Amino acid sequence: MDKFDYMERHGYEQLIYFYDKTTGLKGITCIHDTTLGPALGGTRLWNYANEEEATLDVLRLARGMTYKAAAAGLNLGGGKTVLIGDANQVKSEAYFRALGRYVQSLNGRYITAEDVNTSTKDMDYVSMETDYVVGLEGKSGNPSPLTALGAFHGIRASLQFAFGDNDISKYTFAVQGAGQTGYYLINYLLEAKAKKVYFSEINPKHIERMKKEHPEVEFVTPDKIFGMEVDVLSPCALGAVLNDDTIPQIKAKIIAGTANNVLADEDKHGNMIKDRGILYAPDFVINAGGVINVYHELHNYNREKAVRDVEKIYDRLLEIFAIAQKEGIHQQQAAKVFARNRISTINKLHANYIKR
Ligand code: NAD
């Protein structure tokens, strides 16, 4: 892979490799775009097969964060860190403090947080060495309820756009996954008196929890969820679930959930969904509640303010749906147009010199 060529093609700013001999820490930080503000993105710890795989992952994830933050209305750029190692073996206080020192060396161009295989406890060690870490214990807390809340408002916006009426009590829902985010989303739907909710799960504990707490929510086996006769299909489990096999089965008029990277192939499957006349709420817009929440840690965290910003996902999605309709493009593409417009407009404003 020619890294500079790739960085030039996709507008990357910086790719940093770091190594600490004492702890064996091996990592890569990528800063994609800081037009709107410091690059924010979590630290993922993964046993990558090789450096190439880790590099590609960090490049892809950092760019995704640029779009996510821009579309969420945040003054943040996109970045990410990946650590190469076995999560069961490498973790220690010193390991994460070493990471914190590298983060600090970037002097605020990059802010980290927890991600796959890193926890708030690990980030507490990181914070001993750097000011540039969020998602700490006792601050903005577990992001999942706010991610689910954002998805709930995103579903309301989708209903408004598709049917001209966002009253949840008139509609039926099929939720794939009742884990951290799916569980809270189902609770919000029930509070709003959803007409009927179905869910699928593979984790017996999560199935039991739902059956015990909400027996009215009907379990369906994972293979049935895509073909359910419902108004809204809500993917809240894995990525790449919208693909050649599943899209033809879908009977819902709306796809809107919390899961990341749900389109197996963004353009191909974005267009397939559009051609079937299904409204798709772009994943990185509808699931931004967590990052909006954590962003507020940078400005004296206030839960009410964070919730108000999460609710704005409703209006943002309506704007994106309108762009897609006007331009005749699929909704994921429209979301990128929306994000790029915000980055370039704010960038142009900055050209005017103003003393502060
Ligand atoms: P989670 O692991 O807590 O929940 C996912 C659930 O899906 C699990 O209970 C799992 O058993 C279930 N599942 C897995 N495969 C399944 C299948 N084939 N059929 C049915 N159920 C299945 O994860 P989460 O935090 O709820 O995240 C879910 C998705 O949302 C992920 O794609 C994640 O990247 C995305 N997301 C989460 C957040 C957040 O704040 N947690 C923020 C943004 C995006």
Side-chain angles (χ1 to χ4, degrees):
M1 173 193 192
D2 183 337
K3 296 186 189 71
F4 284 117
D5 180 57
Y6 189 89
M7 288 173 76
E8 187 185 347
R9 262 189 290 133
H10 298 288
Y12 286 90
E13 293 179 12
Q14 207 172 359
L15 189 64
I16 306 122
Y17 287 70
F18 50 88
Y19 172 64
D20 176 65
K21 202 171 174 184
T22 312
T23 59
L25 176 81
K26 274 188 217 160
I28 314 170
T29 294
C30 176
I31 296 177
H32 175 242
D33 184 303
T34 57
T35 308
L36 295 176
L40 183 137
T43 293
R44 179 167 294 192
L45 170 57
W46 197 253
N47 216 350
Y48 292 100
N50 51 49
E51 283 171 36
E52 185 90 352
E53 192 183 280
T55 306
L56 268 174
D57 208 29
V58 79
L59 284 163
R60 184 180 62 84
L61 293 166
R63 184 149 53 111
M65 287 307 295
T66 299
Y67 285 120
K68 189 166 198 160
L74 307 177
N75 290 323
L76 288 177
K80 200 82 185 181
T81 294
V82 298
L83 304 177
I84 304 170
D86 181 343
N88 296 318
Q89 289 182 10
V90 297
K91 284 188 172 197
S92 69
E93 174 188 348
Y95 181 84
F96 285 106
R97 289 184 72 159
L99 169 65
R101 295 182 71 77
Y102 286 108
V103 172
Q104 184 66 17
S105 75
L106 296 170
N107 203 23
R109 267 176 62 67
Y110 167 71
I111 301 165
T112 200
E114 65 185 269
D115 197 79
V116 176
N117 284 328
T118 60
S119 65
T120 48
K121 187 174 152 236
D122 301 329
M123 291 305 127
D124 282 345
Y125 292 134
V126 173
S127 76
M128 291 177 185
E129 303 292 340
T130 183
D131 304 325
Y132 305 111
V133 54
V134 288
L136 299 171
E137 202 73 61
K139 293 229 175 143
S140 68
N142 176 4
S144 306
L146 286 204
T147 300
L149 182 67
F152 173 73
H153 289 295
I155 288 173
R156 288 178 54 248
S158 307
L159 290 168
Q160 184 64 37
F161 191 83
F163 303 123
D165 184 347
N166 65 20
D167 180 352
I168 296 282
S169 72
K170 295 181 177 154
Y171 302 104
T172 54
F173 302 85
V175 180
Q176 184 191 38
Q180 292 254 43
T181 56
Y183 169 80
Y184 286 107
L185 177 62
I186 290 172
N187 276 280
Y188 290 128
L189 293 172
L190 295 176
E191 272 171 35
K193 309 214 170 345
K195 196 160 137 192
K196 178 77 194 173
V197 182
Y198 301 90
F199 83 110
S200 70
E201 244 306 332
I202 53 166
N203 180 334
K205 278 193 193 144
H206 292 170
I207 298 173
E208 267 322 296
R209 174 174 64 175
M210 194 56 70
K211 284 189 172 166
K212 204 165 142 212
E213 291 182 20
H214 299 294
E216 71 276 29
V217 177
E218 199 173 314
F219 175 76
V220 294
T221 52
D223 56 316
K224 297 265 173 5
I225 199 78
F226 292 98
M228 294 301 292
E229 290 274 5
V230 288
D231 299 303
V232 181
L233 171 68
S234 193
C236 298
L238 311 167
V241 293
L242 302 175
N243 52 45
D244 289 349
D245 287 340
T246 57
I247 295 171
Q249 298 174 39
I250 297 173
K251 300 203 177 69
K253 277 275 165 264
I254 292 171
I255 303 171
T258 61
N260 267 321
N261 305 318
V262 277
L263 298 169
D265 176 320
E266 272 197 356
D267 276 328
K268 181 180 178 198
H269 298 117
N271 277 320
M272 257 174 96
I273 290 169
K274 170 177 166 279
D275 293 345
R276 288 217 43 217
I278 300 168
L279 183 69
Y280 165 76
D283 48 7
F284 66 87
V285 181
I286 192 171
N287 73 18
V291 74
I292 294 171
N293 185 44
V294 101
Y295 171 74
H296 279 263
E297 266 187 38
L298 299 169
H299 309 278
N300 289 332
Y301 185 73
N302 174 316
R303 184 82 174 177
E304 275 173 35
K305 264 177 92 181
V307 167
R308 274 205 303 279
D309 271 357
V310 170
E311 288 169 356
K312 291 180 188 158
I313 287 176
Y314 182 100
D315 288 332
R316 220 162 273 132
L317 274 176
L318 288 181
E319 267 189 69
I320 289 166
F321 294 151
I323 293 173
Q325 195 172 44
K326 185 164 167 255
E327 307 290 331
I329 54 180
H330 62 80
Q331 281 97 17
Q332 188 83 352
Q333 202 179 344
K336 289 189 167 175
V337 169
F338 177 86
R340 282 195 206 106
N341 282 348
R342 179 162 178 258
I343 294 171
S344 76
T345 309
I346 303 295
N347 197 22
K348 282 178 198 148
L349 288 184
H350 288 164
N352 288 354
Y353 175 75
I354 294 170
K355 188 169 186 291
R356 281 186 80 172

